[in-house]
Amino acid sequence: MAREFEYRVLGHVKRAIVDYNMIKNGDRVAVGLSGGKDSTVLLHVLHRVRLSAPVKFDLHGIYVDPGWNMEVNILRELCLSYGVPFYYKPTDIATVVFDLRQEKNPCSLCANLRRGALNSTARELGCNKVALGHHLDDVVETFFMSLFYTGQLRTFAPVTYLDRSGITMIRPLVYLTEGQVQEMVMRRHLPVLENPCPVNKKTKREEIKQLVAGLSRQYPELRFRLLNALQTADLRNLWPGKARRPEG
């Protein structure tokens, strides 16, 4: 059963990679590691994909340290067990966000600073792509956060090219639910480090996560229905544009 589960998960990841042409022959892919379950599973499945994929690509693990006291050697050892080079990038992001700026809603600034450090490190290492561990639940939660807090129908894309850095961001886990990611951690005994952030599980995203969890209990196919809606969206059937006012 464990082997069948992993094959099913790998099938979803491979389908996402093929559907959105995420990885090509000769790519150098940096995996953004945080110590959390999502990025750890991402490293594991990309390693497995690399062993059987018809295209050849390199993997590199990068940990951007915001300034927390975390046991990063666990991540280093995991990378080495897969034959993946590990890179540690120290920063003072935590000091900037929590001490200097004293942000009331720090997640956005922290994420932007960490993403910038990750992309610049990847570029220095000669990588052309950065893989992030966002899964289907993240897609759904981001959609609802955008709807509720900005009034926009938006979420992140599976593949995003960044003009400034020349880096392409890919999200190979977008067809996996958070439950599948958690199960992979359990079945493969993958290491997960405790999140030391002082606002962990106290954010607006956590509120939306609980909302989506409640809706999914009532409507089990919610995540997959929304994914299908995003893939087949036709804005012409959503709402007409405003009529132009006559001139003069």
Side-chain angles (χ1 to χ4, degrees):
M1 291 295 291
R3 183 172 296 180
E4 291 178 5
F5 171 77
E6 183 154 356
Y7 283 157
R8 187 162 62 251
V9 165
L10 289 173
H12 290 318
V13 172
K14 290 177 181 178
R15 183 159 59 89
I17 291 173
V18 171
D19 284 352
Y20 299 103
N21 199 21
M22 291 185 186
I23 299 177
K24 299 178 182 178
N25 201 46
D27 279 344
R28 293 171 60 89
V29 182
V31 179
L33 299 172
S34 67
K37 66 183 187 311
D38 304 333
S39 61
T40 300
V41 168
L42 175 63
L43 177 66
H44 173 75
V45 296
L46 286 181
H47 167 67
R48 291 294 308 277
V49 168
R50 183 174 61 162
L51 296 177
S52 60
V55 297
K56 302 301 179 184
F57 60 96
D58 293 331
L59 285 178
H60 303 263
I62 300 176
Y63 174 70
V64 174
D65 187 351
W68 313 129
N69 184 21
M70 293 181 67
E71 186 49 67
V72 296
N73 281 332
I74 293 176
L75 299 178
R76 179 179 286 108
E77 291 169 2
L78 180 66
C79 285
L80 291 177
S81 71
Y82 293 147
V84 173
F86 174 80
Y87 300 90
Y88 171 80
K89 176 68 174 181
T91 73
D92 58 357
I93 291 174
T95 299
V96 172
V97 173
F98 291 101
D99 297 334
L100 299 180
R101 296 281 294 268
Q102 297 184 358
E103 292 282 325
K104 293 182 179 179
N105 298 301
C107 295
S108 178
L109 176 60
C110 183
N112 287 337
L113 293 175
R114 292 175 70 178
R115 195 74 47 78
L118 173 61
N119 291 341
S120 63
T121 304
R123 192 170 60 247
E124 290 169 6
L125 295 173
C127 296
N128 62 317
K129 291 185 176 174
V130 169
L132 302 177
H134 296 130
H135 45 63
L136 181 54
D137 287 58
D138 293 319
V139 175
V140 174
E141 291 159 15
T142 301
F143 176 86
F144 280 115
M145 286 189 70
S146 181
L147 176 63
F148 293 161
Y149 296 118
T150 71
Q152 296 178 313
L153 299 177
R154 298 182 62 182
T155 190
F156 54 78
V159 176
T160 305
Y161 177 71
L162 305 176
D163 290 321
R164 281 186 170 184
S165 63
I167 292 288
T168 299
M169 294 169 53
I170 61 174
R171 296 175 168 94
L173 305 187
V174 288
Y175 287 168
L176 297 181
T177 65
E178 185 171 20
Q180 289 172 311
V181 171
Q182 290 172 330
E183 188 170 352
M184 177 65 83
V185 168
M186 180 188 68
R187 289 179 181 271
R188 299 295 299 186
H189 305 290
L190 297 174
V192 176
L193 305 183
E194 183 178 352
N195 188 347
C197 177
V199 296
N200 184 38
K201 297 188 180 300
K202 301 175 184 177
T203 63
K204 293 296 184 183
R205 178 170 286 277
E206 184 64 25
E207 292 179 13
I208 297 297
K209 179 184 288 290
Q210 297 305 319
L211 172 66
V212 171
L215 288 172
S216 297
R217 284 191 290 270
Q218 187 172 2
Y219 306 102
E221 295 298 313
L222 172 69
R223 296 174 178 87
F224 303 102
R225 294 285 184 262
L226 182 54
L227 176 62
N228 184 69
L230 293 170
Q231 291 173 323
T232 60
D234 183 354
L235 297 183
R236 294 171 300 178
N237 293 327
L238 184 63
W239 195 264
K242 291 182 180 179
R244 290 188 178 182
R245 295 182 180 181
E247 298 181 1

